[in-house]
Amino acid sequence: MSEHIVPVKVYIGVWAGLLVLTGLTTGAAYIDLGVFNTVVALAIAVAKMTLVVLFFMHVKYTPGIPRIVMVAAVFWLAIMMSLMLADELTRHWTPVAHSWGAGVLLPLLPHVLR
Amino acid sequence: MAEMAHPSPEHGHESHVPELVHQFETVEQQREAGTLGMWLFLATEVLFFGGMFCSYLIYRSLHPQAFEIGSHLLEVKFGATNTAVLICSSLSMAMAIYSAQTGKSKKTVILFLVITILLGLAFIGVKLYFEWYHDYLEHIVPGFGFQYRPEWGANGPMVQMFMVFYFTMTGVHALHMVVGVGILTALIIMAARDRFSPQYYAPLDISGLYWHFVDIIWIFLFPLLYLVGGRYMSGGR
Amino acid sequence: MSTAVAELPTAPSESRVNYLNASYGIKSWLLTTDHKRIALLYLVSITFMFVVGGVAATLMRIQLIEPTGAIVEPEVYNKLFSIHGIVMVFFFLVPSIPAVMGNFLIPMMIGARDVAFPKLNLLSWYLYITGSLCMLYAIAAGGVDTGWTFYPPYSSTYSHTHVIAAVTGVFIAGFSSILTGLNFIVTIHKMRAPGMTWFRMPLFLWSMYATSVIFILGTPVIAITLFLMALERLFHVGIFDPAVGGDPLLFQHLFWFYSHPAVYIMILPGMGVISELIPCFARKKIFGYKIVAYSSMAIAVLSFLVWGHHMFVTGQSIYTGLIFSVLSFAVAIPSAIKVFNWTATLYKGSISYNAPMLYALGFIGLFTMGGLTGLFLASLATDVHLNGTYFIVAHFHYIMVGGAVMAYLGGIHYWWPKITGRLYPDAWARFAALIIFVGFNLTFFPQFMLGYLGMPRRYAVYPPEFQVLNVMSSAGATILGVGYVIPLIYLIWSIKYGPIAGPNPWGATGLEWQTPSPPPTENFEEMPVVTEEPYNYPGTEVPVRG
């Protein structure tokens, strides 16, 4: 937060942009993009979040620690997700404990693992 | 608590500004401290919701098909409407702060706060009645008469898992909205008592941060819960 | 008005208005927003919880005198170790130094009148009390037997004990931690006195700052984790339940994502205390101030990257195990750096063996042992043998008791004159420190051996060949218990009968020693201005002894 007063026009613009992006993400769901459906949906969500954070939450006009706090929180979430996913997705790569070679070759045959 | 206009915070008069609490030297320091405090709290909320998002992410990666089935049990129109409702409420919240910043009448500030509350209540209403209650009637609320459907096949348990996450995540989010409505009510009372002015609107600002954050959570919940796997197959619900 | 180092008090502290006598009555304490009074409220409540956890430990050690179990059935023993763990971790160690010493000292050390949000500070205490009451209810209603780790599906499906009450208590106490951490971070960022740059802050503040970062980023995760497990238990829905496709390891990941950084919550403040004690009682500037400060922050960051080492034998991916193992070796480095720096500070210092120093020296040795044994556990192959045994129990007790509790006691003794305006009897204090040191080692060193020899932890009975070591451990526990009771007695005695303390009985540096003992409610008569580096000890003897 700062003394900077954001003009109403900016607020209205952000609001309109958010609604447009909402329509976009909803509409995109009805088009077959395969795996990109998820990518597009998340990208739009990130874009919406950015608009809210920068303008509604005034981060564009708030220098210093609050930005670091926000980035740190998201970064820590990323740590949690990546290391947990790393376990969940690679757990079945070594079905036979003593065969280290199996850990490399067998992931190529996923149906064998299950 | 002074009810009339406050002296402008000049150097020598800082300690007489009624809103300045004793542990701070200047109103500026107090305001920055309050803002930093709220951002730190929001960081904790990121990790709090993050635990659920992370768990959701893992199960979705492992069982994409079941989660798609689960997602198709939800109605996009309600999710999309609620998203729009929250976006509008963020605008009205921003406008409430703007009104205080620019010295508009307290009626204007209160009006925007009331609009925000009404939109928040609308969100909760849609969720509770059109979504959750109907889900209950359709027996897809886990722990409350959940019934597997034959068309789910072997995906049954993980479809239930999806619904567990749906209710937990939107439930915790709704809880945060209810708290937000409570905070907004308190702000209305403060505004009615002439507490806010261009020199002092920190509670509005800080509560705004909270409200916008709850909006951001929903911005992610909507695509992750309602739009899994797209809707092109089922023709949309 | 000047409070120079050598000045003796001219009047008994009772006749001067200070934070203790500024107002009377129970309301003035229960509704206080003075950080110093809140610190004392915490001191009393966590001491109570320490006794609760200690009683559980006592019963456990009595049980283990006999291989077939001396006093209780396994079902009851399961409750004892669970209660011991939950109470000691969440209701004693996590709040201890931050809530007591952090609350009391942070504003004083930075030259502020109070923390940033005093009312939030009081709320933190009430949250702690509420959480403690939930836990006490769980104990009184029959206990909980899941272990402090609450692993499902046992905790969510099969246990018939008061799991919900216990996790509710932990959940609420967690919010106490979060608000405390929030308060500390804002206070340190925004309320330092003029001239108090980041690198002029005492190292205790760096540790508290790093601890607060962990509070903020880690605690919410255990909150949501326990919440999800409680949902599973209450509504019989599967989140971690393998029967419906859930993953029990998901709980463990989420649980340890907080609980590993939590152990750094428990040790970092202790390290901060040691960084204050060593320079004072060696009369020497700390060696490598900036490195120690950076190490605190490094520990806070790295602590979040190693949680999987608690899960090496659970079926976790071997590849993630490798990553966590490497990172666990890495996190040992900043801790080791601190030990090197403390030792280097002692070198050629003018050392006096007051009670706080005895605790500090004990800390360095015992923490080092605990930390080094952690490396055995960080190594995948050796962990397979040692996991689930008494080796682990010994490892973490060396750090938590030999480290954190000793630092806590050292800090209590060091700042006691400031807090109460009284000196405690130093001979008794040194005697107690020695008893604690002996008792501690006799209790826990045999446990390293027991673990290596294969005795599992959390077992109410054991094979007869382990009896000798178990009896030694129980004997040590008795001595340790006596050691803890002695300070309780003389510290309380000293409040009324101890000699009056001046503003700076140790001749220490730091803003907190520039005010009277006990301090006035507003801490400083005038906002101090800092012009000196910290720890600029002249190298003379400690001027006043208790």
Side-chain angles (χ1 to χ4, degrees):
Chain A
M1 183 192 115
S2 70
E3 302 289 13
H4 183 279
I5 297 178
V6 180
V8 181
K9 272 206 301 250
V10 173
Y11 284 146
I12 302 285
V14 168
W15 169 76
L18 287 169
L19 288 177
V20 165
L21 286 171
T22 305
L24 213 63
T25 195
T26 311
Y30 291 95
I31 307 169
D32 183 359
L33 301 165
V35 69
F36 282 101
N37 274 108
T38 311
V39 175
V40 164
L42 281 175
I44 293 178
V46 169
K48 287 160 84 177
M49 175 187 76
T50 310
L51 282 176
V52 174
V53 165
L54 284 179
F55 296 102
F56 281 157
M57 297 172 88
H58 305 132
V59 165
K60 190 164 190 286
Y61 315 102
T62 312
I65 315 292
R67 285 184 186 172
I68 300 176
V69 168
M70 183 186 58
V71 170
V74 174
F75 181 69
W76 252 252
L77 189 58
I79 292 175
M80 175 161 63
M81 287 183 170
S82 47
L83 280 171
M84 283 175 67
L85 262 179
D87 170 43
E88 297 280 347
L89 295 180
T90 66
R91 207 178 287 169
H92 296 286
W93 283 13
T94 319
V96 184
H98 60 262
S99 77
W100 288 98
V104 175
L105 295 172
L106 280 175
L108 301 174
L109 303 164
H111 59 278
V112 173
L113 300 177
R114 308 250 167 200
Chain B
M1 207 181 339
E3 303 295 311
M4 66 301 179
H6 331 283
S8 54
E10 286 176 286
H11 219 32
H13 296 286
E14 284 289 10
S15 53
H16 301 299
V17 175
E19 291 79 17
L20 182 66
V21 283
H22 80 287
Q23 68 268 21
F24 292 113
E25 300 300 312
T26 67
V27 180
E28 181 73 17
Q29 184 194 30
Q30 178 174 320
R31 215 191 47 198
E32 286 179 8
T35 307
L36 177 58
M38 177 49 81
W39 276 105
L40 286 165
F41 178 71
L42 294 181
T44 70
E45 294 276 50
V46 168
L47 271 307
F48 187 74
F49 279 97
M52 286 190 288
F53 276 102
C54 191
S55 308
Y56 171 88
L57 182 66
I58 286 171
Y59 283 134
R60 178 165 159 173
S61 306
L62 294 174
H63 304 277
Q65 212 182 5
F67 269 46
E68 227 177 87
I69 297 172
S71 177
H72 289 194
L73 294 172
L74 308 175
E75 296 200 41
V76 172
K77 62 178 187 260
F78 293 129
T81 308
N82 266 348
T83 310
V85 163
L86 273 194
I87 289 170
C88 293
S89 77
S90 270
L91 176 67
S92 58
M93 186 73 213
M95 289 307 299
I97 298 167
Y98 176 85
S99 306
Q101 268 181 321
T102 50
K104 303 279 188 293
S105 71
K106 75 177 179 192
K107 272 218 197 91
T108 314
V109 175
I110 292 177
L111 176 67
F112 280 119
L113 290 174
V114 168
I115 292 174
T116 313
I117 290 183
L118 288 177
L119 289 169
L121 290 175
F123 177 96
I124 294 170
V126 168
K127 183 143 283 309
L128 276 179
Y129 181 72
F130 291 105
E131 296 195 273
W132 288 1
Y133 179 58
H134 279 95
D135 291 337
Y136 171 71
L137 293 177
E138 290 174 23
H139 301 288
I140 51 172
V141 181
F144 293 91
F146 190 89
Q147 285 173 3
Y148 289 120
R149 298 182 183 175
E151 62 264 29
W152 299 341
N155 283 313
M158 291 314 287
V159 173
Q160 183 182 42
M161 183 70 80
F162 173 87
M163 292 310 287
V164 170
F165 274 93
Y166 167 74
F167 281 102
T168 308
M169 293 174 89
T170 58
V172 173
H173 175 263
L175 211 67
H176 281 77
M177 293 228 34
V178 169
V179 169
V181 167
I183 293 174
L184 289 168
T185 310
L187 290 176
I188 289 179
I189 296 173
M190 287 172 81
R193 293 182 182 168
D194 290 296
R195 288 294 306 278
F196 301 129
S197 70
Q199 288 79 33
Y200 180 71
Y201 53 92
L204 284 168
D205 214 51
I206 289 168
S207 306
L209 289 176
Y210 175 82
W211 189 264
H212 294 309
F213 176 80
V214 177
D215 188 11
I216 290 176
I217 295 291
W218 183 260
I219 282 173
F220 281 95
L221 285 180
F222 173 56
L224 286 175
L225 292 174
Y226 289 82
L227 305 178
V228 177
R231 291 300 176 121
Y232 42 89
M233 299 291 279
S234 60
R237 259 193 86 195
Chain C
M1 198 237 107
S2 97
T3 51
V5 162
E7 179 187 279
L8 290 165
T10 52
S13 52
E14 287 79 18
S15 67
R16 182 178 40 81
V17 176
N18 58 60
Y19 79 99
L20 288 170
N21 60 25
S23 52
Y24 289 104
I26 196 142
K27 257 176 75 172
S28 76
W29 280 88
L30 292 182
L31 294 177
T32 183
T33 53
D34 180 1
H35 64 102
K36 300 182 287 300
R37 288 194 169 197
I38 293 175
L40 290 187
L41 291 174
Y42 270 110
L43 177 60
V44 172
S45 21
I46 67 167
T47 306
F48 178 77
M49 292 310 271
F50 180 76
V51 170
V52 171
V55 165
T58 308
L59 294 171
M60 287 163 67
R61 284 304 339 155
I62 297 175
Q63 164 78 355
L64 293 173
I65 292 176
E66 285 293 333
T68 51
I71 48 170
V72 293
E73 294 305 309
E75 290 74 26
V76 176
Y77 185 79
N78 295 347
K79 294 180 182 180
L80 288 176
F81 69 70
S82 304
I83 292 169
H84 173 69
I86 297 169
V87 168
M88 285 306 200
V89 168
F90 294 111
F91 296 96
F92 174 69
L93 280 166
V94 164
S96 60
I97 296 177
V100 177
M101 274 161 252
N103 264 318
F104 197 94
L105 293 167
I106 290 178
M108 299 193 67
M109 283 183 168
I110 60 173
R113 279 187 282 277
D114 208 315
V115 291
F117 309 115
K119 290 190 209 158
L120 213 62
N121 207 5
L122 183 65
L123 176 65
S124 288
W125 183 72
Y126 275 105
L127 287 171
Y128 171 79
I129 292 296
T130 309
S132 302
L133 288 173
C134 283
M135 185 61 202
L136 290 170
Y137 165 76
I139 296 172
V144 58
D145 67 352
T146 59
W148 80 279
T149 46
F150 295 114
Y151 281 3
Y154 183 69
S155 60
S156 59
T157 311
Y158 300 103
S159 173
H160 295 295
T161 59
H162 299 267
V163 177
I164 302 277
V167 301
T168 305
V170 173
F171 184 93
I172 296 174
F175 278 96
S176 170
S177 302
I178 287 175
L179 293 180
T180 299
L182 191 157
N183 229 329
F184 288 172
I185 292 181
V186 179
T187 305
I188 293 175
H189 268 284
K190 293 292 178 191
M191 295 173 71
R192 281 169 287 128
M196 172 74 78
T197 60
W198 279 89
F199 290 113
R200 282 187 183 161
M201 290 200 310
L203 287 167
F204 179 73
L205 293 175
W206 278 98
S207 307
M208 289 313 310
Y209 184 81
T211 307
S212 301
V213 169
I214 306 179
F215 273 140
I216 293 284
L217 293 171
T219 318
V221 179
I222 187 114
I224 192 66
T225 310
L226 295 177
F227 176 72
L228 290 175
M229 185 269 280
L231 279 185
E232 181 168 310
R233 187 175 171 85
L234 277 172
F235 299 110
H236 310 291
V237 294
I239 303 176
F240 309 114
D241 188 356
V244 287
D247 183 12
L249 256 65
L250 178 62
F251 176 89
Q252 295 185 27
H253 275 298
L254 290 170
F255 177 85
W256 288 112
F257 184 85
Y258 162 76
S259 298
H260 186 82
V263 313
Y264 291 94
I265 287 177
M266 297 186 258
I267 197 62
L268 266 173
M271 291 173 159
V273 171
I274 302 304
S275 293
E276 298 300 314
L277 299 183
I278 298 279
C280 176
F281 294 104
R283 311 313 289 170
K284 195 160 161 268
K285 198 182 183 78
I286 192 144
F287 183 91
Y289 169 93
K290 274 198 180 169
I291 299 283
V292 177
Y294 288 137
S295 295
S296 298
M297 298 308 299
I299 290 173
V301 173
L302 287 172
S303 70
F304 279 94
L305 300 176
V306 301
W307 79 83
H309 65 229
H310 299 271
M311 297 164 60
F312 282 155
V313 296
T314 58
Q316 178 181 247
S317 157
I318 193 88
Y319 301 102
T320 340
L322 286 168
I323 298 173
F324 281 122
S325 176
V326 170
L327 289 167
S328 301
F329 276 91
V331 79
I333 296 175
S335 301
I337 287 176
K338 288 194 175 200
V339 173
F340 298 149
N341 278 276
W342 292 321
T343 314
T345 309
L346 289 170
Y347 179 65
K348 289 200 176 164
S350 173
I351 299 178
S352 41
Y353 295 94
N354 309 61
M357 186 56 152
L358 291 180
Y359 284 114
L361 294 173
F363 176 101
I364 295 179
L366 299 176
F367 169 74
T368 302
M369 287 174 67
L372 288 174
T373 51
L375 295 176
F376 288 95
L377 303 170
S379 170
L380 286 163
T382 45
D383 188 67
V384 172
H385 175 62
L386 297 168
N387 201 312
T389 70
Y390 263 85
F391 194 93
I392 305 246
V393 177
H395 156 72
F396 66 70
H397 280 94
Y398 261 78
I399 306 187
M400 290 302 132
V401 183
V405 176
M406 302 263 289
Y408 176 75
L409 288 173
I412 291 280
H413 284 78
Y414 182 60
W415 282 295
W416 189 258
K418 178 59 57 184
I419 294 173
T420 59
R422 300 282 179 156
L423 296 164
Y424 52 81
D426 197 57
W428 275 106
R430 288 191 264 183
F431 176 63
L434 211 57
I435 302 252
I436 288 174
F437 184 81
V438 167
F440 169 83
N441 280 291
L442 188 58
T443 309
F444 291 106
F445 195 84
Q447 293 185 6
F448 276 127
M449 294 157 68
L450 280 169
Y452 173 72
L453 291 170
M455 178 173 171
R457 62 186 286 203
R458 298 178 167 174
Y459 273 45
V461 300
Y462 55 84
E465 57 262 31
F466 295 138
Q467 183 171 25
V468 171
L469 289 168
N470 269 293
V471 171
M472 281 174 69
S473 179
S474 297
T478 313
I479 300 173
L480 186 61
V482 168
Y484 285 142
V485 168
I486 300 176
L488 202 59
I489 298 175
Y490 65 68
L491 287 175
I492 295 178
W493 174 91
S494 76
I495 294 176
K496 199 138 194 273
Y497 301 109
I500 309 272
N504 195 350
W506 313 116
T509 64
L511 286 178
E512 75 268 27
W513 301 106
Q514 310 303 319
T515 73
S517 307
T521 304
E522 297 279 293
N523 295 339
F524 301 95
E525 319 245 341
E526 284 169 15
M527 165 83 67
V529 177
V530 178
T531 51
E532 294 175 333
E533 300 309 306
Y535 311 113
N536 57 343
Y537 283 98
T540 58
E541 287 285 306
V542 176
V544 175
R545 284 195 186 266

